[in-house]
Amino acid sequence: MRKLQKSTRESIFTYAIVIVAFLATQGLMLSGNISSALTGQLVPICAYVVMAVSLNLTVGVLGELSLGHASFMSVGAFSGVTACISLANVIPSDPIRLVVGMVIGAICAGAAGFLIGIPVLRLNGDYLAIVTLAFGEIIKNLITCLSVGVDSRGLHFSFLTSSSMLNLEEGGTVIINGPMGIAGIPKLSTFTAGFILVVVTLFIVMNLVKSRAGRAIMALRDNRIAAESVGIPVTKYKLMAFVTSAALAGAAGALYAMNFSTIVATKFNFSTSILILVYVVLGGLGNIWGTVIAATVLTILPEMLRGFNDYRMLLYAIVLIIVMLATNNSRLKLIPAWLKKTLGSKTGKESISNE
Amino acid sequence: MSFLSHLISGISLGSIYAIIALGYTMVYGIAKMLNFAHGDVIMVGAYACFFMVSRYEIPAVVGVLSAVVICTLLGIIIERLAYKPLRSATSLAVLITAIGISYFLQNAAQLLWTSNPKVFNSLMGDGSVKLFDGRLSISVTAIVTIVVCVIIMLALTWFTGRTKMGKAMRACSEDKGAAQLMGINVNFTISMTFAIGSALAAIAGVLLCSAYPILTPTTGSMPGIKAFTAAVFGGIGSIPGALLGGVLLGIIEIFGKAYISTQLSDAIVFVVLIVVLLVKPTGLLGKQVQEKV
């Protein structure tokens, strides 16, 4: 039997982890061995895994720090839920409506990613990071000012005015109510749907990374000038990674929103973006299965620390700091690894992803 | 007249941003790290001053000074425990650690002082100066804020330009290796930078809560982000840039609130930032670095 390629083995391993985790959770749920608090966390875990894997595409594979990933989640959530509510009469089947909602969420977030990506990707390093942060705040602010309603004539939009200015007909409903966000969301998301979205995301991201385009994106990360000089179009591949990442985040946002009955734009703020970035860095830049595990563990961790009551978020912070110190402190590492790090790669990017 | 009074409140808010931005920009210039815990040091400073002055009834000046001392020590401790071991790690690892510190400070504050908002009485009193037959009224807090900001700017410019320590800081931000070869203690210099940044954060905290008197464990985060934006706006790493960026940001924010829309004022600030960065990718006063292969 021929030995499989390293990357193929890695992807089989990643799919295996996810499928085993899904089956194990289903088994536990059937036998009733799972707490209700954790059951409520299952869909958010799936959404955060998709968020983290898609952010890893921008931060780990493309090598650009993005601090506004939650804004794409927000765009996806609001457009997806709007689509689901307004299509309630057209598509009666819940699963199909959920899929349509996620697809529309992904398309809207991808379009937002494209519009933001054109100016943002011209910048480099920390300046790029601050502009993504700025776009995240702008999108949050704009959605807070937006009202949307639906009646028999179609969708109505109004901006900076209250929802009573929508001019709805008799029997029309307000969907997005300015700062109050959306209330009365149909609870369409299921754990199975979340699992399928995770697998689809893994399939898209891992195949993109292994393709010709993926190698071009990684070449841009490692040395942009050298990549440019061998004829790799910088803007095209940067945008490809950025838009894919945004679209996946949009689908995750739609999934996440339809797990709750109400959702407001301020939920998807800077701290949410940072939370997802923490999953990516702890999981390992460019390391997909590490991200999956980090997102899952860190979403459950505050639940598991619930026994410590008020101290749980403090403990979470301490765990975060200690993990960062332990995995990055050169003095704590074994000497060969230290030698390799100091003599070998100067970028330090590999030193994280190799762990 | 309303234009003038908006302008003055804009400059006063901008002065607070500028003082916070100085902390970001100095730390970035020397340690090349985004210190996201800076906003929470502001919060700690404000709480320290609040308890000193309103609970233990210590004179305001002593209260501010002790807040400065507490924040300076806090800054040095954070640097020693969390950032120093990561000096050779990637900037992302340091960034995440800084976020961890920020979570830690916010949650520790919540446990110690609960999340109930505290009402911070302005140390400068609520008097105001009336000009043009009372048509223009400027609060004493705004005047003190602007004056303090100017004094801090002058002192820092003198410090970085004339003193030995300041020159060591500039040398370290230029080239750490070469600075070490010239006999500069790089680690000590970095610690000093954190100490100065945190001391400024304490002053900013007191000024911020004198102008906007509600104090909660998350008081520092939004001004922190805005000040960070101001630092980038002016060109991160540059001290005059922090002042310029901070003041411009404050003026834009207040004018946006007054003339365009209260709800959209944050969006306006960030739109201006993006436009500036697209025209001048390293900020208003930032240095252009030529890329080499």
Side-chain angles (χ1 to χ4, degrees), chain A residues 5-52:
Chain A
Q5 269 189 329
K6 186 173 168 260
S7 59
T8 318
R9 264 184 291 145
E10 237 182 64
S11 23
I12 291 173
F13 179 58
T14 313
Y15 289 124
I17 291 180
V18 175
I19 292 169
V20 168
F22 174 70
L23 292 177
T25 321
Q26 287 290 18
L28 282 174
M29 262 161 54
L30 282 177
S31 60
N33 280 329
I34 201 162
S35 72
S36 61
L38 195 59
T39 319
Q41 289 278 308
L42 289 175
V43 174
I45 289 175
C46 292
Y48 281 129
V49 166
V50 174
M51 289 298 291

mmCIF file of all heavy atoms in Angstrom, chain A residues 5-52:
data_model
loop_
_atom_site.group_PDB
_atom_site.id
_atom_site.type_symbol
_atom_site.label_atom_id
_atom_site.label_comp_id
_atom_site.label_asym_id
_atom_site.label_seq_id
_atom_site.Cartn_x
_atom_site.Cartn_y
_atom_site.Cartn_z
ATOM 1 N N GLN A 5 0.182 10.959 1.308
ATOM 2 C CA GLN A 5 0.889 12.232 1.500
ATOM 3 C C GLN A 5 0.581 12.797 2.876
ATOM 4 O O GLN A 5 -0.480 12.540 3.435
ATOM 5 C CB GLN A 5 0.397 13.223 0.462
ATOM 6 C CG GLN A 5 1.208 13.204 -0.800
ATOM 7 C CD GLN A 5 0.815 14.349 -1.691
ATOM 8 O OE1 GLN A 5 -0.332 14.765 -1.680
ATOM 9 N NE2 GLN A 5 1.758 14.843 -2.445
ATOM 10 N N LYS A 6 1.503 13.610 3.402
ATOM 11 C CA LYS A 6 1.318 14.160 4.748
ATOM 12 C C LYS A 6 0.049 15.006 4.829
ATOM 13 O O LYS A 6 -0.748 14.880 5.756
ATOM 14 C CB LYS A 6 2.528 15.012 5.113
ATOM 15 C CG LYS A 6 2.480 15.501 6.545
ATOM 16 C CD LYS A 6 3.770 16.210 6.939
ATOM 17 C CE LYS A 6 3.599 16.936 8.248
ATOM 18 N NZ LYS A 6 3.361 18.343 8.151
ATOM 19 N N SER A 7 -0.175 15.827 3.777
ATOM 20 C CA SER A 7 -1.331 16.718 3.835
ATOM 21 C C SER A 7 -2.629 15.914 3.763
ATOM 22 O O SER A 7 -3.616 16.236 4.428
ATOM 23 C CB SER A 7 -1.271 17.727 2.697
ATOM 24 O OG SER A 7 -1.263 17.050 1.479
ATOM 25 N N THR A 8 -2.615 14.811 2.971
ATOM 26 C CA THR A 8 -3.815 13.975 2.872
ATOM 27 C C THR A 8 -4.106 13.332 4.216
ATOM 28 O O THR A 8 -5.248 13.293 4.676
ATOM 29 C CB THR A 8 -3.606 12.879 1.817
ATOM 30 O OG1 THR A 8 -2.968 13.449 0.702
ATOM 31 C CG2 THR A 8 -4.913 12.263 1.412
ATOM 32 N N ARG A 9 -3.039 12.818 4.875
ATOM 33 C CA ARG A 9 -3.230 12.209 6.184
ATOM 34 C C ARG A 9 -3.819 13.224 7.152
ATOM 35 O O ARG A 9 -4.720 12.932 7.918
ATOM 36 C CB ARG A 9 -1.887 11.692 6.715
ATOM 37 C CG ARG A 9 -1.672 10.215 6.429
ATOM 38 C CD ARG A 9 -0.399 9.741 7.059
ATOM 39 N NE ARG A 9 0.774 10.318 6.391
ATOM 40 C CZ ARG A 9 1.890 10.655 7.023
ATOM 41 N NH1 ARG A 9 1.988 10.494 8.314
ATOM 42 N NH2 ARG A 9 2.904 11.167 6.351
ATOM 43 N N GLU A 10 -3.298 14.468 7.073
ATOM 44 C CA GLU A 10 -3.781 15.496 7.984
ATOM 45 C C GLU A 10 -5.255 15.777 7.769
ATOM 46 O O GLU A 10 -6.022 15.901 8.727
ATOM 47 C CB GLU A 10 -2.976 16.781 7.788
ATOM 48 C CG GLU A 10 -2.316 17.245 9.066
ATOM 49 C CD GLU A 10 -1.566 18.533 8.853
ATOM 50 O OE1 GLU A 10 -2.175 19.569 8.549
ATOM 51 O OE2 GLU A 10 -0.353 18.475 8.983
ATOM 52 N N SER A 11 -5.691 15.824 6.486
ATOM 53 C CA SER A 11 -7.110 16.137 6.279
ATOM 54 C C SER A 11 -7.987 14.979 6.710
ATOM 55 O O SER A 11 -9.045 15.190 7.295
ATOM 56 C CB SER A 11 -7.405 16.559 4.848
ATOM 57 O OG SER A 11 -6.459 16.083 3.972
ATOM 58 N N ILE A 12 -7.531 13.719 6.468
ATOM 59 C CA ILE A 12 -8.332 12.578 6.924
ATOM 60 C C ILE A 12 -8.468 12.632 8.442
ATOM 61 O O ILE A 12 -9.552 12.440 9.006
ATOM 62 C CB ILE A 12 -7.683 11.257 6.470
ATOM 63 C CG1 ILE A 12 -7.800 11.127 4.949
ATOM 64 C CG2 ILE A 12 -8.346 10.066 7.145
ATOM 65 C CD1 ILE A 12 -7.058 9.963 4.384
ATOM 66 N N PHE A 13 -7.355 12.963 9.106
ATOM 67 C CA PHE A 13 -7.345 13.077 10.565
ATOM 68 C C PHE A 13 -8.358 14.125 11.022
ATOM 69 O O PHE A 13 -9.148 13.901 11.943
ATOM 70 C CB PHE A 13 -5.929 13.451 10.999
ATOM 71 C CG PHE A 13 -5.757 13.619 12.485
ATOM 72 C CD1 PHE A 13 -6.050 12.573 13.354
ATOM 73 C CD2 PHE A 13 -5.298 14.815 13.007
ATOM 74 C CE1 PHE A 13 -5.886 12.728 14.716
ATOM 75 C CE2 PHE A 13 -5.142 14.979 14.359
ATOM 76 C CZ PHE A 13 -5.432 13.934 15.223
ATOM 77 N N THR A 14 -8.363 15.296 10.327
ATOM 78 C CA THR A 14 -9.267 16.373 10.726
ATOM 79 C C THR A 14 -10.721 15.954 10.580
ATOM 80 O O THR A 14 -11.523 16.121 11.499
ATOM 81 C CB THR A 14 -8.997 17.615 9.861
ATOM 82 O OG1 THR A 14 -7.599 17.828 9.830
ATOM 83 C CG2 THR A 14 -9.687 18.830 10.421
ATOM 84 N N TYR A 15 -11.053 15.354 9.383
ATOM 85 C CA TYR A 15 -12.442 14.901 9.205
ATOM 86 C C TYR A 15 -12.795 13.880 10.276
ATOM 87 O O TYR A 15 -13.896 13.900 10.835
ATOM 88 C CB TYR A 15 -12.631 14.276 7.819
ATOM 89 C CG TYR A 15 -12.585 15.260 6.680
ATOM 90 C CD1 TYR A 15 -11.692 15.113 5.639
ATOM 91 C CD2 TYR A 15 -13.455 16.347 6.657
ATOM 92 C CE1 TYR A 15 -11.642 16.013 4.598
ATOM 93 C CE2 TYR A 15 -13.413 17.260 5.622
ATOM 94 C CZ TYR A 15 -12.501 17.088 4.594
ATOM 95 O OH TYR A 15 -12.457 17.987 3.569
ATOM 96 N N ALA A 16 -11.841 12.970 10.575
ATOM 97 C CA ALA A 16 -12.108 11.913 11.554
ATOM 98 C C ALA A 16 -12.454 12.518 12.909
ATOM 99 O O ALA A 16 -13.432 12.113 13.544
ATOM 100 C CB ALA A 16 -10.903 10.992 11.667
ATOM 101 N N ILE A 17 -11.664 13.505 13.350
ATOM 102 C CA ILE A 17 -11.935 14.145 14.646
ATOM 103 C C ILE A 17 -13.364 14.657 14.684
ATOM 104 O O ILE A 17 -14.128 14.382 15.619
ATOM 105 C CB ILE A 17 -10.995 15.354 14.874
ATOM 106 C CG1 ILE A 17 -9.559 14.912 15.073
ATOM 107 C CG2 ILE A 17 -11.441 16.161 16.094
ATOM 108 C CD1 ILE A 17 -8.630 16.085 15.286
ATOM 109 N N VAL A 18 -13.744 15.402 13.624
ATOM 110 C CA VAL A 18 -15.052 16.052 13.623
ATOM 111 C C VAL A 18 -16.163 15.010 13.622
ATOM 112 O O VAL A 18 -17.131 15.087 14.383
ATOM 113 C CB VAL A 18 -15.171 16.996 12.411
ATOM 114 C CG1 VAL A 18 -16.553 17.579 12.323
ATOM 115 C CG2 VAL A 18 -14.156 18.104 12.532
ATOM 116 N N ILE A 19 -16.009 13.966 12.770
ATOM 117 C CA ILE A 19 -17.073 12.968 12.662
ATOM 118 C C ILE A 19 -17.194 12.190 13.973
ATOM 119 O O ILE A 19 -18.298 11.975 14.485
ATOM 120 C CB ILE A 19 -16.803 12.034 11.463
ATOM 121 C CG1 ILE A 19 -16.965 12.846 10.170
ATOM 122 C CG2 ILE A 19 -17.759 10.862 11.458
ATOM 123 C CD1 ILE A 19 -16.495 12.150 8.937
ATOM 124 N N VAL A 20 -16.042 11.798 14.553
ATOM 125 C CA VAL A 20 -16.085 11.057 15.821
ATOM 126 C C VAL A 20 -16.729 11.915 16.908
ATOM 127 O O VAL A 20 -17.599 11.449 17.656
ATOM 128 C CB VAL A 20 -14.659 10.615 16.239
ATOM 129 C CG1 VAL A 20 -14.650 10.122 17.676
ATOM 130 C CG2 VAL A 20 -14.160 9.531 15.315
ATOM 131 N N ALA A 21 -16.347 13.198 16.961
ATOM 132 C CA ALA A 21 -16.927 14.082 17.971
ATOM 133 C C ALA A 21 -18.431 14.190 17.789
ATOM 134 O O ALA A 21 -19.194 14.127 18.759
ATOM 135 C CB ALA A 21 -16.289 15.465 17.883
ATOM 136 N N PHE A 22 -18.864 14.284 16.521
ATOM 137 C CA PHE A 22 -20.309 14.398 16.252
ATOM 138 C C PHE A 22 -21.044 13.141 16.699
ATOM 139 O O PHE A 22 -22.042 13.199 17.424
ATOM 140 C CB PHE A 22 -20.528 14.626 14.751
ATOM 141 C CG PHE A 22 -21.961 14.612 14.339
ATOM 142 C CD1 PHE A 22 -22.811 15.642 14.718
ATOM 143 C CD2 PHE A 22 -22.478 13.573 13.585
ATOM 144 C CE1 PHE A 22 -24.139 15.629 14.342
ATOM 145 C CE2 PHE A 22 -23.805 13.560 13.205
ATOM 146 C CZ PHE A 22 -24.639 14.591 13.586
ATOM 147 N N LEU A 23 -20.495 11.960 16.300
ATOM 148 C CA LEU A 23 -21.166 10.707 16.655
ATOM 149 C C LEU A 23 -21.183 10.529 18.171
ATOM 150 O O LEU A 23 -22.201 10.126 18.745
ATOM 151 C CB LEU A 23 -20.465 9.525 15.974
ATOM 152 C CG LEU A 23 -20.610 9.504 14.453
ATOM 153 C CD1 LEU A 23 -19.830 8.354 13.856
ATOM 154 C CD2 LEU A 23 -22.080 9.419 14.064
ATOM 155 N N ALA A 24 -20.066 10.853 18.827
ATOM 156 C CA ALA A 24 -19.995 10.692 20.280
ATOM 157 C C ALA A 24 -21.035 11.574 20.960
ATOM 158 O O ALA A 24 -21.745 11.136 21.869
ATOM 159 C CB ALA A 24 -18.591 11.044 20.772
ATOM 160 N N THR A 25 -21.157 12.826 20.482
ATOM 161 C CA THR A 25 -22.131 13.737 21.096
ATOM 162 C C THR A 25 -23.541 13.222 20.876
ATOM 163 O O THR A 25 -24.370 13.243 21.789
ATOM 164 C CB THR A 25 -21.997 15.138 20.484
ATOM 165 O OG1 THR A 25 -20.625 15.398 20.280
ATOM 166 C CG2 THR A 25 -22.581 16.175 21.391
ATOM 167 N N GLN A 26 -23.805 12.729 19.630
ATOM 168 C CA GLN A 26 -25.139 12.188 19.357
ATOM 169 C C GLN A 26 -25.436 11.021 20.289
ATOM 170 O O GLN A 26 -26.530 10.919 20.855
ATOM 171 C CB GLN A 26 -25.241 11.725 17.890
ATOM 172 C CG GLN A 26 -25.320 12.835 16.881
ATOM 173 C CD GLN A 26 -26.638 13.595 16.927
ATOM 174 O OE1 GLN A 26 -27.363 13.529 17.903
ATOM 175 N NE2 GLN A 26 -26.945 14.337 15.886
ATOM 176 N N GLY A 27 -24.428 10.145 20.470
ATOM 177 C CA GLY A 27 -24.602 8.993 21.357
ATOM 178 C C GLY A 27 -24.911 9.433 22.778
ATOM 179 O O GLY A 27 -25.841 8.932 23.418
ATOM 180 N N LEU A 28 -24.135 10.409 23.258
ATOM 181 C CA LEU A 28 -24.341 10.916 24.621
ATOM 182 C C LEU A 28 -25.725 11.532 24.753
ATOM 183 O O LEU A 28 -26.393 11.389 25.778
ATOM 184 C CB LEU A 28 -23.277 11.955 24.960
ATOM 185 C CG LEU A 28 -21.901 11.410 25.333
ATOM 186 C CD1 LEU A 28 -20.915 12.540 25.495
ATOM 187 C CD2 LEU A 28 -21.993 10.609 26.618
ATOM 188 N N MET A 29 -26.171 12.228 23.682
ATOM 189 C CA MET A 29 -27.473 12.877 23.755
ATOM 190 C C MET A 29 -28.578 11.839 23.816
ATOM 191 O O MET A 29 -29.537 11.986 24.571
ATOM 192 C CB MET A 29 -27.671 13.802 22.560
ATOM 193 C CG MET A 29 -27.359 15.233 22.941
ATOM 194 S SD MET A 29 -27.034 16.370 21.633
ATOM 195 C CE MET A 29 -28.338 16.298 20.542
ATOM 196 N N LEU A 30 -28.422 10.741 23.029
ATOM 197 C CA LEU A 30 -29.446 9.688 23.018
ATOM 198 C C LEU A 30 -29.525 9.008 24.377
ATOM 199 O O LEU A 30 -30.608 8.715 24.871
ATOM 200 C CB LEU A 30 -29.124 8.655 21.922
ATOM 201 C CG LEU A 30 -29.479 9.104 20.505
ATOM 202 C CD1 LEU A 30 -29.064 8.047 19.506
ATOM 203 C CD2 LEU A 30 -30.982 9.377 20.410
ATOM 204 N N SER A 31 -28.338 8.765 24.993
ATOM 205 C CA SER A 31 -28.356 8.089 26.288
ATOM 206 C C SER A 31 -28.600 9.072 27.431
ATOM 207 O O SER A 31 -28.647 8.679 28.588
ATOM 208 C CB SER A 31 -27.046 7.331 26.493
ATOM 209 O OG SER A 31 -25.978 8.242 26.446
ATOM 210 N N GLY A 32 -28.745 10.363 27.089
ATOM 211 C CA GLY A 32 -29.109 11.351 28.118
ATOM 212 C C GLY A 32 -27.992 11.693 29.078
ATOM 213 O O GLY A 32 -28.229 12.111 30.198
ATOM 214 N N ASN A 33 -26.729 11.531 28.625
ATOM 215 C CA ASN A 33 -25.603 11.795 29.521
ATOM 216 C C ASN A 33 -24.995 13.175 29.316
ATOM 217 O O ASN A 33 -23.838 13.398 29.598
ATOM 218 C CB ASN A 33 -24.513 10.743 29.304
ATOM 219 C CG ASN A 33 -24.848 9.463 30.016
ATOM 220 O OD1 ASN A 33 -25.500 9.491 31.060
ATOM 221 N ND2 ASN A 33 -24.437 8.355 29.447
ATOM 222 N N ILE A 34 -25.760 14.108 28.810
ATOM 223 C CA ILE A 34 -25.173 15.397 28.479
ATOM 224 C C ILE A 34 -26.004 16.484 29.146
ATOM 225 O O ILE A 34 -27.234 16.404 29.178
ATOM 226 C CB ILE A 34 -25.100 15.536 26.934
ATOM 227 C CG1 ILE A 34 -24.072 16.563 26.525
ATOM 228 C CG2 ILE A 34 -26.428 15.824 26.325
ATOM 229 C CD1 ILE A 34 -23.677 16.398 25.083
ATOM 230 N N SER A 35 -25.338 17.448 29.752
ATOM 231 C CA SER A 35 -26.077 18.453 30.520
ATOM 232 C C SER A 35 -26.826 19.386 29.574
ATOM 233 O O SER A 35 -26.433 19.571 28.418
ATOM 234 C CB SER A 35 -25.115 19.248 31.385
ATOM 235 O OG SER A 35 -24.353 20.092 30.580
ATOM 236 N N SER A 36 -27.913 19.972 30.061
ATOM 237 C CA SER A 36 -28.718 20.821 29.189
ATOM 238 C C SER A 36 -27.942 22.082 28.805
ATOM 239 O O SER A 36 -28.113 22.615 27.710
ATOM 240 C CB SER A 36 -30.020 21.193 29.881
ATOM 241 O OG SER A 36 -29.735 21.912 31.051
ATOM 242 N N ALA A 37 -27.052 22.547 29.714
ATOM 243 C CA ALA A 37 -26.246 23.732 29.389
ATOM 244 C C ALA A 37 -25.359 23.453 28.186
ATOM 245 O O ALA A 37 -25.204 24.286 27.296
ATOM 246 C CB ALA A 37 -25.397 24.125 30.588
ATOM 247 N N LEU A 38 -24.802 22.232 28.147
ATOM 248 C CA LEU A 38 -23.911 21.882 27.041
ATOM 249 C C LEU A 38 -24.710 21.686 25.754
ATOM 250 O O LEU A 38 -24.255 22.070 24.672
ATOM 251 C CB LEU A 38 -23.130 20.616 27.403
ATOM 252 C CG LEU A 38 -21.920 20.343 26.527
ATOM 253 C CD1 LEU A 38 -20.946 21.495 26.602
ATOM 254 C CD2 LEU A 38 -21.241 19.067 26.948
ATOM 255 N N THR A 39 -25.906 21.111 25.868
ATOM 256 C CA THR A 39 -26.737 20.932 24.675
ATOM 257 C C THR A 39 -27.021 22.282 24.018
ATOM 258 O O THR A 39 -26.989 22.399 22.795
ATOM 259 C CB THR A 39 -28.078 20.260 25.052
ATOM 260 O OG1 THR A 39 -27.808 19.241 26.003
ATOM 261 C CG2 THR A 39 -28.751 19.673 23.850
ATOM 262 N N GLY A 40 -27.258 23.287 24.838
ATOM 263 C CA GLY A 40 -27.506 24.616 24.298
ATOM 264 C C GLY A 40 -26.282 25.199 23.621
ATOM 265 O O GLY A 40 -26.389 26.103 22.799
ATOM 266 N N GLN A 41 -25.095 24.684 23.974
ATOM 267 C CA GLN A 41 -23.849 25.218 23.418
ATOM 268 C C GLN A 41 -23.477 24.573 22.093
ATOM 269 O O GLN A 41 -22.549 25.028 21.437
ATOM 270 C CB GLN A 41 -22.708 24.972 24.419
ATOM 271 C CG GLN A 41 -22.786 25.820 25.666
ATOM 272 C CD GLN A 41 -22.210 27.186 25.411
ATOM 273 O OE1 GLN A 41 -21.109 27.317 24.932
ATOM 274 N NE2 GLN A 41 -22.977 28.201 25.703
ATOM 275 N N LEU A 42 -24.194 23.484 21.698
ATOM 276 C CA LEU A 42 -23.704 22.709 20.553
ATOM 277 C C LEU A 42 -23.692 23.526 19.262
ATOM 278 O O LEU A 42 -22.697 23.531 18.539
ATOM 279 C CB LEU A 42 -24.563 21.446 20.375
ATOM 280 C CG LEU A 42 -24.337 20.391 21.455
ATOM 281 C CD1 LEU A 42 -25.300 19.231 21.289
ATOM 282 C CD2 LEU A 42 -22.908 19.876 21.412
ATOM 283 N N VAL A 43 -24.802 24.235 18.967
ATOM 284 C CA VAL A 43 -24.830 25.021 17.727
ATOM 285 C C VAL A 43 -23.811 26.169 17.785
ATOM 286 O O VAL A 43 -23.056 26.369 16.831
ATOM 287 C CB VAL A 43 -26.259 25.514 17.426
ATOM 288 C CG1 VAL A 43 -26.260 26.451 16.240
ATOM 289 C CG2 VAL A 43 -27.159 24.330 17.172
ATOM 290 N N PRO A 44 -23.741 26.949 18.907
ATOM 291 C CA PRO A 44 -22.682 27.966 18.965
ATOM 292 C C PRO A 44 -21.283 27.391 18.762
ATOM 293 O O PRO A 44 -20.458 28.011 18.096
ATOM 294 C CB PRO A 44 -22.836 28.549 20.369
ATOM 295 C CG PRO A 44 -24.260 28.367 20.695
ATOM 296 C CD PRO A 44 -24.679 27.095 20.045
ATOM 297 N N ILE A 45 -21.034 26.179 19.313
ATOM 298 C CA ILE A 45 -19.703 25.583 19.103
ATOM 299 C C ILE A 45 -19.453 25.407 17.609
ATOM 300 O O ILE A 45 -18.403 25.794 17.091
ATOM 301 C CB ILE A 45 -19.577 24.234 19.844
ATOM 302 C CG1 ILE A 45 -19.496 24.458 21.349
ATOM 303 C CG2 ILE A 45 -18.350 23.468 19.368
ATOM 304 C CD1 ILE A 45 -19.490 23.184 22.158
ATOM 305 N N CYS A 46 -20.441 24.838 16.894
ATOM 306 C CA CYS A 46 -20.270 24.640 15.446
ATOM 307 C C CYS A 46 -20.014 25.983 14.761
ATOM 308 O O CYS A 46 -19.124 26.102 13.918
ATOM 309 C CB CYS A 46 -21.507 23.999 14.842
ATOM 310 S SG CYS A 46 -21.760 22.317 15.383
ATOM 311 N N ALA A 47 -20.805 27.016 15.144
ATOM 312 C CA ALA A 47 -20.634 28.324 14.513
ATOM 313 C C ALA A 47 -19.235 28.866 14.799
ATOM 314 O O ALA A 47 -18.560 29.376 13.892
ATOM 315 C CB ALA A 47 -21.693 29.299 15.027
ATOM 316 N N TYR A 48 -18.754 28.731 16.040
ATOM 317 C CA TYR A 48 -17.431 29.254 16.370
ATOM 318 C C TYR A 48 -16.329 28.463 15.672
ATOM 319 O O TYR A 48 -15.302 29.036 15.293
ATOM 320 C CB TYR A 48 -17.217 29.254 17.886
ATOM 321 C CG TYR A 48 -17.897 30.421 18.570
ATOM 322 C CD1 TYR A 48 -18.733 30.242 19.657
ATOM 323 C CD2 TYR A 48 -17.699 31.715 18.106
ATOM 324 C CE1 TYR A 48 -19.359 31.309 20.271
ATOM 325 C CE2 TYR A 48 -18.323 32.789 18.712
ATOM 326 C CZ TYR A 48 -19.151 32.579 19.790
ATOM 327 O OH TYR A 48 -19.764 33.649 20.379
ATOM 328 N N VAL A 49 -16.527 27.143 15.504
ATOM 329 C CA VAL A 49 -15.524 26.355 14.782
ATOM 330 C C VAL A 49 -15.414 26.879 13.344
ATOM 331 O O VAL A 49 -14.316 27.110 12.831
ATOM 332 C CB VAL A 49 -15.887 24.849 14.804
ATOM 333 C CG1 VAL A 49 -15.059 24.084 13.790
ATOM 334 C CG2 VAL A 49 -15.671 24.272 16.185
ATOM 335 N N VAL A 50 -16.576 27.110 12.709
ATOM 336 C CA VAL A 50 -16.548 27.618 11.328
ATOM 337 C C VAL A 50 -15.895 28.998 11.297
ATOM 338 O O VAL A 50 -15.057 29.287 10.433
ATOM 339 C CB VAL A 50 -17.984 27.675 10.754
ATOM 340 C CG1 VAL A 50 -17.983 28.322 9.385
ATOM 341 C CG2 VAL A 50 -18.559 26.284 10.673
ATOM 342 N N MET A 51 -16.244 29.859 12.265
ATOM 343 C CA MET A 51 -15.634 31.190 12.343
ATOM 344 C C MET A 51 -14.122 31.081 12.459
ATOM 345 O O MET A 51 -13.369 31.768 11.771
ATOM 346 C CB MET A 51 -16.157 31.955 13.563
ATOM 347 C CG MET A 51 -17.570 32.409 13.489
ATOM 348 S SD MET A 51 -17.852 33.542 12.158
ATOM 349 C CE MET A 51 -16.945 34.950 12.730
ATOM 350 N N ALA A 52 -13.665 30.202 13.365
ATOM 351 C CA ALA A 52 -12.227 30.104 13.629
ATOM 352 C C ALA A 52 -11.501 29.544 12.414
ATOM 353 O O ALA A 52 -10.442 30.052 12.026
ATOM 354 C CB ALA A 52 -11.996 29.229 14.860
#
